Amino acid sequence: MAGPLLEYETEMFLSLFSTDGLLVSAEGLGIDRVLLQFMKVYSEEGSLVLLLNTTTPEQEYFTEQLRAEGVSHLPQTVNSDVQSSERYHVYTQGGVLYVTSRILVVDFLTDKIPAHLISGILVYRAHKIIDSCQEAFILRLYRQKNKTGFIKDFTDKVTAFSTGFCQVERVMRNLFVKKLFLWPRFQASVSTVLDRHMPDVVELHVPLTSAMRAIQSSILDIMNACLKELKRYNPTLEAEDLSLENTLGNAFEKTIRHYLDPFWHQLGTKTKSLVQDLKILRSLLLYLTQYDCVTFLNLLESLRSSQKNFGSNSGWLFLDSSTSMFVNARSRVYRIYEGKKKLKVGEVDQNPCASAPLKRECVLEKNPKWEALTEVLQEIEQENSRSQHEPGHVLICASDDRTCAQLKEYIQRGADSLLNRLYSHTFGKDEPAAAHDESKQGNSWPKKGIGKSSNGKKSKAKNTKSSTKKQKLSLTLTQMAAQEKEVETAQMGSSGDEEEHEVEEEEKEREEEILSSDSYYGIVKEPLTVIHPLKGCSDPYSLTRVLQEVEPMFVVLYDAELSFVRQLEVYKGSRPGKLLRVYFLIYGGSTEEQRYLTALCKEKQAFEHLIREKASMVVPEEREGREDTNLDLVRNSDPAYAATNTRKAGGQEVVEEPSRVIVDMREFRSELPSLLHRRGLDIEPVTLEVGDYILTSNICVERKSVSDLIGSLQSGRLYTQCLSMSRFYRQPVLLIEFDPAKPFSLVARSDMRQEMSANDITSKLTLLTLHFPRLRLLWCPSPHATAELFQELKHGRPEPEAAAAQAVTAESDMVEESADLYNAGPYDFLIRMPGVNVKNFRGLVKHAANLAELLTLSQEKLSEILGSTSNAKKLYEFLHSTMNGASVQKSKHTSK
């Protein structure tokens, strides 16, 4: 852990330690540090604490930090690698445990975990605990069996509570907590601590070039036109959420899909293309400020070529703003060179076919932020040279790994080399070889001894020449690269083929470096300069590790990211005596600046909304579930409006045996078992070979989501599953369950065909029902509807036996309904014969009692039964063709 807790973090810890509650903090304010402090307190044998809703990289980071703190009883992980017989021993050892949700649900249901010994549960990312998720099921089971343990919840995604009706109250209800602790950045304790040790911030508002400003204006005009069209076609959409300002935010795509998903299948092609175009235009805005001019133009040209079929495009390519955007984007990369020869009036070109193609003159406009970065690094170098202490380390943070790779190449080789390389690989391919020579020279600059380091280890840069090491950054970076280019070109041989081969190998190495998102790049050894992406790493704490290990004195924020800005404030607050200077590079008056300010405003508004909601929130006294009065813990299958039958001895209640459902272990990844348990049905987890849910001794259910249904129909797996259910159960059921956020429609109206097709999903389902007459299809719009339907199907029917359901295998006896129709062994043999398929095998079964009688049928009779002369011929030849030993030997000699 990076230093002790700050004053406000200690206050956070103490407030949550004294009472159960939900802790909501602003992003980057150190909620993980508070959680680590809780884990440190409970990492002892005397307590058993479960940590829910964490990923594997997060678990590794927490364990690593606790080990660095000297904690002896480190957290353990309980997953599928731990045997069922060993899990009880792991639970009784105590300490903090990471347990996967599926295993924890099964252990609670089967009483393999000592619920009375659990001290409490810590829930990370608590904003995701909705009513039907696995973690909510675990907390409900825990509170039913343990009334004394604590539940403490952590989240830093305050904007997740700003959508939906009473969202924070519903989450707190699922978490069984009464208290809500809010810690925004503007809270008095936080502001006092962080403002006392503010880092030295240098804001650099980099102006956009005139071409970039014109392109940005064109994209915004096109987006505005698309939004107006979208509102015109869908007047029911909220006008506030479809404003141009909200379109720039990261959550816009999620918002628009939230509105349109329930009736997506009913929307016209125009609306769907408008949504897709808005997504593309948002990407263009990002590319404009994020990457270089060549990459942006390449994306534009690829869009134009891919959308030549204008049926897939809402028409924005025809707008004047689109034309202006293309013209300005090309002007940043090249301009067309016009020849000096001019034809006189009335003169005709004598050889128009042989006229040379238009020549392009490269412009290759440099990214304005690159020049600002060069000035910043020069200033840092001067600062280090004046300092009496050792040079301070430098950390450069960019948005993603692609930007980091470009910055690395820019610092090593200069802007000209980078842009020439990109140009030669995109627009320069069709140009004469002379144009390529220049770009090849740019590409052949040697790599400095600068390695890539991963897993949080510092890279050791190798400087091959002391002269370049002494120069450091006193010159501009482009000049440094140019000087090294001159030295290397003087040493190059005359073999062009070898040089080209080396360039290709170098390009492959560079591409391999770009692909890795889990590494940061050491650029210069003295002072150590490191580039690291802000997003895109598989390890969410990779940047935190770099911050702790490199301990930079200078941080250059090439891209703005809210949570890391706060993280730097906490980093400086925990090291009050050390210098930290932050250079904040941002395009002034750009969508990048607007996106950052919108994120700040959204978070502030979300906290203000929660503060008002907390003031008026009515929380029941029994919310925590420590008494039996909490209605959320009551498992009642009857609705509240159900009338009491007074004919049963004056209305007295009759104790009934609880209904139970046998559930396959693999089904606990879905939310249906949780909903069944809440409706009063006992869940018995068992490994089933046939079916997913056994409702009664006769009813077996195979549950399929829409995506799973399509995949299993294509692979043929569903046929095998339905065959097994039909053989061993009297009432096989195929349940097709839809996502409640998606349309309740298997096929969109636009995809409906007039004629039958072998590849059509509805055709395959029809064939399935024809082949298995006893198979019933259940269509459910949501898991809630499925739970209600299961309860109705079980009403008045005998309960299933877990041992009997688990014993059903391929060798089990078939049910009478299937045994009366066919015998499994001869049936399987018959269905594999040539000419026999699922459509015609029943006719053979009716006319032949056994395989011996099948041999007596003539080819004409087979043709009549099968309804096909070709199938009859295949079957007859298969049954009656002879092959003696002599013919076998003859065929072998012939093949030789």
Side-chain angles (χ1 to χ4, degrees), residues 561-628:
E561 213 269 326
L562 183 59
S563 62
F564 187 63
V565 172
R566 303 262 174 76
Q567 195 174 343
L568 287 175
E569 289 185 305
V570 175
Y571 172 78
K572 179 64 173 70
S574 59
R575 293 168 174 77
K578 296 185 178 179
L579 172 68
L580 177 64
R581 182 180 299 170
V582 179
Y583 292 91
F584 201 100
L585 304 183
I586 196 163
Y587 284 114
S590 68
T591 55
E592 179 193 23
E593 183 181 28
Q594 184 61 44
R595 198 180 300 119
Y596 179 76
L597 295 176
T598 301
L600 269 175
C601 183
K602 290 278 185 186
E603 185 189 76
K604 183 171 180 288
Q605 289 174 355
F607 268 114
E608 291 173 349
H609 170 71
L610 283 188
I611 290 170
R612 290 192 299 269
E613 193 167 345
K614 181 181 177 181
S616 59
M617 189 185 299
V618 178
V619 181
E621 187 64 31
E622 65 275 5
R623 168 63 59 79
E624 293 187 354
R626 299 184 185 274
E627 305 294 336
D628 294 331

Coordinates of all heavy atoms in Angstrom, one line a residue, residues 561-628:
E561 N -7.9 12.4 -18.1 CA -8.7 11.3 -17.5 C -9.0 11.6 -16.1 O -8.1 11.8 -15.3 CB -8.0 10.0 -17.7 CG -8.9 8.8 -18.0 CD -9.3 8.1 -16.7 OE1 -8.5 8.1 -15.7 OE2 -10.5 7.6 -16.6
L562 N -10.3 11.7 -15.7 CA -10.7 12.2 -14.5 C -10.2 11.4 -13.3 O -9.7 12.0 -12.3 CB -12.3 12.3 -14.4 CG -12.9 12.9 -13.1 CD1 -12.4 14.3 -13.0 CD2 -14.4 12.8 -13.2
S563 N -10.3 10.1 -13.3 CA -9.9 9.3 -12.2 C -8.4 9.4 -11.9 O -8.0 9.4 -10.8 CB -10.4 7.9 -12.4 OG -9.7 7.3 -13.5
F564 N -7.6 9.5 -13.0 CA -6.2 9.6 -12.8 C -5.8 10.9 -12.2 O -4.8 11.0 -11.5 CB -5.4 9.2 -14.1 CG -3.9 9.1 -13.9 CD1 -3.4 8.1 -13.1 CD2 -3.1 10.0 -14.5 CE1 -2.0 8.1 -12.9 CE2 -1.7 9.9 -14.3 CZ -1.2 9.0 -13.5
V565 N -6.5 12.0 -12.6 CA -6.2 13.3 -12.0 C -6.4 13.2 -10.5 O -5.5 13.7 -9.8 CB -7.1 14.3 -12.7 CG1 -6.9 15.7 -12.0 CG2 -6.8 14.5 -14.2
R566 N -7.5 12.6 -10.1 CA -7.7 12.5 -8.6 C -6.6 11.6 -8.0 O -6.2 11.8 -6.9 CB -9.1 11.9 -8.4 CG -10.2 12.7 -9.0 CD -10.9 13.6 -8.0 NE -11.9 14.4 -8.6 CZ -13.1 14.0 -9.0 NH1 -13.4 12.7 -8.9 NH2 -13.9 14.9 -9.6
Q567 N -6.3 10.5 -8.7 CA -5.2 9.6 -8.2 C -3.9 10.4 -8.0 O -3.2 10.1 -7.0 CB -5.0 8.5 -9.2 CG -4.3 7.3 -8.6 CD -4.2 6.1 -9.5 OE1 -5.0 6.0 -10.5 NE2 -3.3 5.2 -9.3
L568 N -3.6 11.3 -8.9 CA -2.4 12.1 -8.7 C -2.5 13.0 -7.4 O -1.5 13.2 -6.7 CB -2.1 12.9 -9.9 CG -1.6 12.2 -11.2 CD1 -1.5 13.1 -12.3 CD2 -0.2 11.5 -10.9
E569 N -3.7 13.5 -7.2 CA -3.9 14.4 -6.0 C -3.6 13.5 -4.7 O -3.0 14.0 -3.8 CB -5.3 14.9 -6.0 CG -5.5 16.0 -7.0 CD -6.9 16.6 -6.9 OE1 -7.9 15.9 -7.0 OE2 -7.0 17.9 -6.8
V570 N -4.2 12.3 -4.7 CA -4.0 11.4 -3.5 C -2.5 11.0 -3.4 O -1.9 11.0 -2.3 CB -4.9 10.2 -3.7 CG1 -4.6 9.2 -2.6 CG2 -6.3 10.5 -3.7
Y571 N -1.9 10.8 -4.6 CA -0.4 10.4 -4.6 C 0.4 11.6 -4.0 O 1.3 11.3 -3.2 CB 0.0 10.2 -6.0 CG 1.5 10.0 -6.2 CD1 2.1 8.8 -5.9 CD2 2.2 11.0 -6.8 CE1 3.5 8.6 -6.1 CE2 3.6 10.8 -7.0 CZ 4.2 9.6 -6.7 OH 5.5 9.5 -6.9
K572 N 0.1 12.8 -4.3 CA 0.8 13.9 -3.8 C 0.5 14.1 -2.3 O 1.4 14.5 -1.5 CB 0.5 15.2 -4.6 CG 1.1 16.5 -4.1 CD 2.7 16.4 -4.2 CE 3.4 17.7 -3.9 NZ 3.3 18.0 -2.5
G573 N -0.8 13.9 -1.9 CA -1.2 14.1 -0.5 C -0.5 13.1 0.4 O -0.2 13.4 1.5
S574 N -0.2 11.9 -0.1 CA 0.5 10.9 0.7 C 2.0 11.1 0.7 O 2.7 10.4 1.5 CB 0.2 9.5 0.2 OG 0.6 9.4 -1.2
R575 N 2.5 12.0 -0.1 CA 4.0 12.3 -0.1 C 4.1 13.8 0.0 O 4.5 14.5 -1.0 CB 4.6 11.8 -1.4 CG 4.7 10.3 -1.5 CD 5.1 9.9 -2.9 NE 5.3 8.4 -3.0 CZ 4.3 7.5 -3.1 NH1 3.0 8.0 -3.1 NH2 4.5 6.3 -3.2
P576 N 3.8 14.4 1.1 CA 3.7 15.9 1.2 C 5.0 16.6 1.0 O 5.1 17.7 0.5 CB 3.1 16.1 2.6 CG 3.5 14.9 3.3 CD 3.4 13.8 2.4
G577 N 6.1 15.9 1.2 CA 7.4 16.6 1.2 C 8.1 16.6 -0.2 O 9.1 17.2 -0.4
K578 N 7.5 15.8 -1.1 CA 8.2 15.6 -2.4 C 7.5 16.4 -3.5 O 6.3 16.6 -3.5 CB 8.1 14.1 -2.8 CG 8.9 13.2 -1.8 CD 8.9 11.8 -2.3 CE 9.8 10.9 -1.3 NZ 9.8 9.5 -1.8
L579 N 8.3 16.9 -4.4 CA 7.8 17.7 -5.5 C 7.1 16.9 -6.5 O 7.5 15.7 -6.9 CB 9.0 18.4 -6.2 CG 8.7 19.2 -7.5 CD1 7.8 20.4 -7.2 CD2 10.0 19.6 -8.3
L580 N 6.0 17.3 -7.0 CA 5.2 16.7 -8.1 C 4.7 17.8 -9.0 O 3.9 18.6 -8.5 CB 4.1 15.8 -7.6 CG 3.2 15.2 -8.6 CD1 4.0 14.2 -9.5 CD2 2.0 14.5 -8.0
R581 N 5.1 17.8 -10.2 CA 4.6 18.8 -11.2 C 3.8 18.0 -12.3 O 4.3 17.1 -12.8 CB 5.8 19.6 -11.8 CG 5.3 20.7 -12.8 CD 6.4 21.4 -13.4 NE 7.1 22.1 -12.3 CZ 8.3 22.8 -12.5 NH1 8.9 22.7 -13.8 NH2 8.9 23.4 -11.6
V582 N 2.6 18.5 -12.5 CA 1.8 17.9 -13.5 C 1.6 18.8 -14.7 O 1.1 20.0 -14.5 CB 0.4 17.5 -12.9 CG1 -0.5 16.8 -13.9 CG2 0.6 16.5 -11.7
Y583 N 1.9 18.4 -15.9 CA 1.7 19.1 -17.1 C 0.4 18.6 -17.7 O 0.3 17.4 -18.1 CB 2.8 19.0 -18.1 CG 4.1 19.7 -17.6 CD1 5.0 19.0 -16.8 CD2 4.4 21.0 -17.9 CE1 6.2 19.6 -16.4 CE2 5.5 21.6 -17.4 CZ 6.4 20.9 -16.7 OH 7.6 21.5 -16.3
F584 N -0.6 19.4 -17.9 CA -1.9 19.1 -18.4 C -2.1 19.6 -19.8 O -2.3 20.8 -20.1 CB -3.0 19.7 -17.5 CG -4.3 19.0 -17.5 CD1 -4.6 18.1 -16.5 CD2 -5.2 19.3 -18.5 CE1 -5.9 17.5 -16.5 CE2 -6.4 18.7 -18.6 CZ -6.8 17.8 -17.6
L585 N -1.9 18.7 -20.8 CA -2.1 19.1 -22.2 C -3.5 18.8 -22.7 O -4.0 17.7 -22.6 CB -1.1 18.3 -23.1 CG 0.4 18.3 -22.7 CD1 1.2 17.5 -23.8 CD2 0.9 19.7 -22.7
I586 N -4.1 19.8 -23.2 CA -5.5 19.7 -23.7 C -5.7 20.7 -24.8 O -5.2 21.8 -24.8 CB -6.5 19.9 -22.5 CG1 -7.9 19.3 -22.9 CG2 -6.6 21.3 -22.1 CD1 -8.8 19.1 -21.8
Y587 N -6.5 20.3 -25.8 CA -6.8 21.1 -26.9 C -7.8 22.1 -26.5 O -9.0 21.8 -26.1 CB -7.3 20.3 -28.1 CG -6.3 19.6 -28.9 CD1 -6.3 18.2 -28.9 CD2 -5.3 20.3 -29.6 CE1 -5.3 17.5 -29.6 CE2 -4.4 19.6 -30.3 CZ -4.4 18.2 -30.3 OH -3.4 17.5 -31.0
G588 N -7.5 23.4 -26.6 CA -8.4 24.5 -26.2 C -9.6 24.6 -27.2 O -9.4 24.6 -28.4
G589 N -10.8 24.7 -26.6 CA -12.0 24.9 -27.5 C -12.3 23.7 -28.3 O -12.9 23.8 -29.4
S590 N -11.9 22.5 -27.9 CA -12.1 21.2 -28.6 C -13.2 20.4 -28.0 O -13.6 20.6 -26.8 CB -10.8 20.5 -28.8 OG -10.4 20.0 -27.5
T591 N -13.6 19.3 -28.7 CA -14.5 18.3 -28.1 C -13.8 17.6 -27.0 O -14.5 17.0 -26.1 CB -15.0 17.4 -29.2 OG1 -13.9 16.8 -29.8 CG2 -15.9 18.1 -30.2
E592 N -12.5 17.4 -27.0 CA -11.8 16.8 -26.0 C -11.9 17.5 -24.6 O -12.2 16.9 -23.6 CB -10.3 16.7 -26.3 CG -9.4 16.0 -25.3 CD -7.9 16.2 -25.5 OE1 -7.6 17.2 -26.2 OE2 -7.2 15.4 -25.0
E593 N -11.8 18.8 -24.7 CA -12.0 19.6 -23.5 C -13.4 19.5 -23.0 O -13.7 19.4 -21.8 CB -11.6 21.1 -23.8 CG -11.7 22.0 -22.6 CD -11.3 23.4 -22.9 OE1 -11.5 23.8 -24.1 OE2 -10.9 24.2 -22.0
Q594 N -14.4 19.6 -24.0 CA -15.8 19.5 -23.6 C -16.1 18.2 -23.0 O -16.9 18.1 -22.0 CB -16.6 19.8 -24.9 CG -18.1 19.8 -24.6 CD -18.5 20.9 -23.7 OE1 -18.0 22.1 -23.8 NE2 -19.4 20.6 -22.7
R595 N -15.5 17.1 -23.5 CA -15.8 15.8 -23.0 C -15.3 15.7 -21.5 O -16.0 15.1 -20.7 CB -15.1 14.7 -23.8 CG -15.6 13.3 -23.7 CD -14.8 12.4 -24.6 NE -14.9 12.7 -26.0 CZ -13.9 13.0 -26.8 NH1 -12.7 13.0 -26.3 NH2 -14.1 13.3 -28.0
Y596 N -14.2 16.2 -21.2 CA -13.6 16.2 -19.8 C -14.5 17.0 -18.9 O -14.9 16.6 -17.8 CB -12.2 16.7 -19.8 CG -11.6 16.8 -18.5 CD1 -11.1 15.6 -17.9 CD2 -11.4 18.0 -17.8 CE1 -10.5 15.6 -16.6 CE2 -10.8 18.0 -16.5 CZ -10.4 16.8 -16.0 OH -9.8 16.9 -14.7
L597 N -14.9 18.2 -19.4 CA -15.8 19.1 -18.5 C -17.2 18.4 -18.3 O -17.7 18.6 -17.2 CB -15.9 20.5 -19.2 CG -14.6 21.3 -19.2 CD1 -14.9 22.6 -20.0 CD2 -14.0 21.6 -17.9
T598 N -17.7 17.8 -19.3 CA -19.0 17.1 -19.2 C -18.9 16.0 -18.2 O -19.8 15.8 -17.4 CB -19.4 16.5 -20.6 OG1 -19.5 17.6 -21.5 CG2 -20.8 15.8 -20.4
A599 N -17.8 15.2 -18.2 CA -17.6 14.1 -17.2 C -17.6 14.7 -15.8 O -18.2 14.2 -14.8 CB -16.3 13.4 -17.5
L600 N -16.9 15.8 -15.6 CA -16.9 16.5 -14.3 C -18.3 16.9 -13.8 O -18.7 16.7 -12.7 CB -15.9 17.7 -14.3 CG -14.5 17.5 -14.0 CD1 -13.7 18.8 -14.2 CD2 -14.3 17.1 -12.5
C601 N -19.0 17.5 -14.8 CA -20.3 18.0 -14.5 C -21.3 16.9 -14.2 O -22.1 17.0 -13.2 CB -20.8 18.9 -15.7 SG -22.4 19.6 -15.4
K602 N -21.2 15.8 -14.9 CA -22.1 14.7 -14.7 C -21.9 14.1 -13.3 O -22.8 13.7 -12.6 CB -21.8 13.6 -15.7 CG -22.3 13.9 -17.1 CD -23.8 13.7 -17.3 CE -24.2 13.9 -18.7 NZ -25.7 13.8 -18.9
E603 N -20.6 14.0 -12.9 CA -20.3 13.4 -11.6 C -20.8 14.3 -10.5 O -21.4 13.9 -9.5 CB -18.8 13.2 -11.4 CG -18.4 12.5 -10.1 CD -16.9 12.5 -9.8 OE1 -16.4 13.6 -9.5 OE2 -16.3 11.5 -10.0
K604 N -20.6 15.6 -10.6 CA -21.1 16.6 -9.6 C -22.6 16.6 -9.5 O -23.2 16.5 -8.4 CB -20.6 18.0 -10.0 CG -21.0 19.1 -9.0 CD -20.3 20.4 -9.4 CE -20.6 21.5 -8.4 NZ -22.0 22.0 -8.5
Q605 N -23.3 16.5 -10.7 CA -24.8 16.4 -10.6 C -25.3 15.1 -10.0 O -26.3 15.1 -9.3 CB -25.3 16.6 -12.1 CG -25.2 17.9 -12.7 CD -25.6 18.0 -14.1 OE1 -25.9 16.9 -14.7 NE2 -25.6 19.2 -14.7
A606 N -24.5 14.0 -10.3 CA -24.9 12.7 -9.7 C -24.8 12.8 -8.1 O -25.7 12.3 -7.4 CB -24.1 11.6 -10.3
F607 N -23.7 13.4 -7.6 CA -23.6 13.5 -6.2 C -24.7 14.4 -5.6 O -25.2 14.1 -4.5 CB -22.2 14.0 -5.8 CG -21.2 12.9 -5.6 CD1 -20.1 12.7 -6.4 CD2 -21.3 12.1 -4.5 CE1 -19.2 11.7 -6.2 CE2 -20.4 11.0 -4.3 CZ -19.4 10.9 -5.1
E608 N -24.9 15.5 -6.2 CA -26.0 16.4 -5.7 C -27.4 15.7 -5.7 O -28.2 15.9 -4.8 CB -26.1 17.7 -6.6 CG -24.8 18.6 -6.4 CD -24.8 19.7 -7.4 OE1 -25.7 19.7 -8.4 OE2 -24.0 20.6 -7.3
H609 N -27.6 14.9 -6.7 CA -28.9 14.1 -6.8 C -28.9 13.1 -5.6 O -30.0 13.0 -5.0 CB -28.9 13.4 -8.1 CG -30.0 12.4 -8.2 ND1 -31.4 12.7 -8.3 CD2 -30.0 11.0 -8.2 CE1 -32.1 11.6 -8.3 NE2 -31.3 10.6 -8.3
L610 N -27.8 12.4 -5.3 CA -27.8 11.5 -4.2 C -27.9 12.2 -2.9 O -28.5 11.7 -1.9 CB -26.5 10.7 -4.2 CG -26.4 9.6 -5.3 CD1 -25.1 8.7 -5.0 CD2 -27.6 8.6 -5.2
I611 N -27.3 13.4 -2.7 CA -27.5 14.1 -1.5 C -28.9 14.5 -1.2 O -29.4 14.3 -0.1 CB -26.6 15.4 -1.5 CG1 -25.1 15.0 -1.5 CG2 -26.9 16.3 -0.4 CD1 -24.1 16.1 -1.8
R612 N -29.6 14.9 -2.3 CA -31.1 15.2 -2.1 C -31.9 14.0 -1.8 O -32.8 14.0 -1.0 CB -31.6 15.9 -3.4 CG -31.1 17.3 -3.6 CD -31.8 18.1 -4.7 NE -31.7 17.4 -5.9 CZ -30.8 17.6 -6.9 NH1 -29.8 18.6 -6.6 NH2 -30.7 17.0 -8.0
E613 N -31.5 12.9 -2.5 CA -32.3 11.6 -2.3 C -32.0 11.1 -0.9 O -32.9 10.5 -0.3 CB -31.9 10.6 -3.4 CG -32.8 9.4 -3.5 CD -32.6 8.6 -4.7 OE1 -31.9 9.1 -5.6 OE2 -33.1 7.5 -4.8
K614 N -30.8 11.2 -0.4 CA -30.5 10.7 0.9 C -31.3 11.5 2.0 O -31.7 10.9 3.0 CB -29.0 10.9 1.2 CG -28.5 10.4 2.5 CD -27.1 10.6 2.8 CE -26.6 10.1 4.1 NZ -25.2 10.3 4.4
A615 N -31.5 12.8 1.7 CA -32.2 13.6 2.7 C -33.7 13.2 2.8 O -34.3 13.3 3.9 CB -32.1 15.1 2.3
S616 N -34.2 12.7 1.7 CA -35.7 12.4 1.7 C -35.9 10.9 1.7 O -37.1 10.4 1.6 CB -36.4 13.0 0.5 OG -35.8 12.5 -0.7
M617 N -34.9 10.1 1.9 CA -35.0 8.6 1.8 C -35.6 8.1 3.1 O -35.3 8.4 4.2 CB -33.6 8.0 1.6 CG -33.6 6.5 1.2 SD -32.0 5.9 1.2 CE -31.3 6.8 -0.2
V618 N -36.6 7.2 2.9 CA -37.3 6.5 4.0 C -36.7 5.1 4.0 O -37.0 4.3 3.1 CB -38.8 6.5 3.8 CG1 -39.5 5.8 5.0 CG2 -39.3 7.9 3.8
V619 N -36.0 4.8 5.1 CA -35.4 3.4 5.2 C -36.0 2.7 6.3 O -36.1 3.2 7.5 CB -33.8 3.6 5.5 CG1 -33.2 2.2 5.6 CG2 -33.2 4.4 4.4
P620 N -36.6 1.5 6.1 CA -37.3 0.7 7.2 C -36.2 0.3 8.2 O -35.1 0.1 7.9 CB -37.8 -0.5 6.4 CG -37.8 -0.1 5.0 CD -36.8 0.9 4.8
E621 N -36.7 0.2 9.4 CA -35.8 -0.2 10.5 C -35.2 -1.6 10.3 O -34.1 -2.0 10.7 CB -36.5 -0.1 11.9 CG -35.7 -0.3 13.1 CD -34.6 0.7 13.2 OE1 -34.8 1.9 12.8 OE2 -33.5 0.4 13.7
E622 N -36.1 -2.5 9.7 CA -35.6 -3.9 9.5 C -34.9 -4.1 8.2 O -34.7 -5.3 7.8 CB -36.9 -4.8 9.6 CG -37.8 -4.6 8.4 CD -38.8 -3.5 8.6 OE1 -38.7 -2.8 9.7 OE2 -39.7 -3.3 7.8
R623 N -34.4 -3.1 7.6 CA -33.7 -3.2 6.3 C -32.5 -4.1 6.3 O -32.3 -4.9 5.4 CB -33.2 -1.8 5.8 CG -32.3 -1.8 4.6 CD -32.9 -2.3 3.4 NE -34.1 -1.7 2.9 CZ -34.1 -0.5 2.3 NH1 -32.9 0.1 2.0 NH2 -35.2 0.0 1.9
E624 N -31.7 -4.1 7.4 CA -30.5 -4.9 7.5 C -30.8 -6.4 7.6 O -29.9 -7.2 7.5 CB -29.6 -4.5 8.7 CG -29.1 -3.1 8.5 CD -28.1 -2.7 9.5 OE1 -27.9 -3.5 10.5 OE2 -27.4 -1.7 9.4
G625 N -32.1 -6.8 7.9 CA -32.4 -8.2 7.9 C -31.9 -9.0 9.2 O -31.9 -10.2 9.1
R626 N -31.6 -8.2 10.2 CA -31.1 -8.9 11.4 C -32.3 -9.5 12.3 O -32.0 -10.3 13.2 CB -30.3 -7.9 12.3 CG -29.1 -7.4 11.6 CD -28.2 -6.5 12.5 NE -27.1 -5.9 11.8 CZ -26.0 -6.5 11.6 NH1 -25.8 -7.7 12.0 NH2 -25.0 -5.9 10.9
E627 N -33.5 -9.1 11.9 CA -34.7 -9.7 12.5 C -35.5 -10.4 11.4 O -35.2 -10.3 10.2 CB -35.5 -8.6 13.2 CG -34.8 -7.8 14.2 CD -34.4 -8.6 15.4 OE1 -35.0 -9.6 15.7 OE2 -33.4 -8.1 16.1
D628 N -36.5 -11.2 11.8 CA -37.3 -12.0 10.9 C -38.4 -11.1 10.2 O -39.2 -11.6 9.5 CB -37.9 -13.2 11.6 CG -36.9 -14.2 12.0 OD1 -35.8 -14.3 11.3 OD2 -37.1 -14.9 13.0

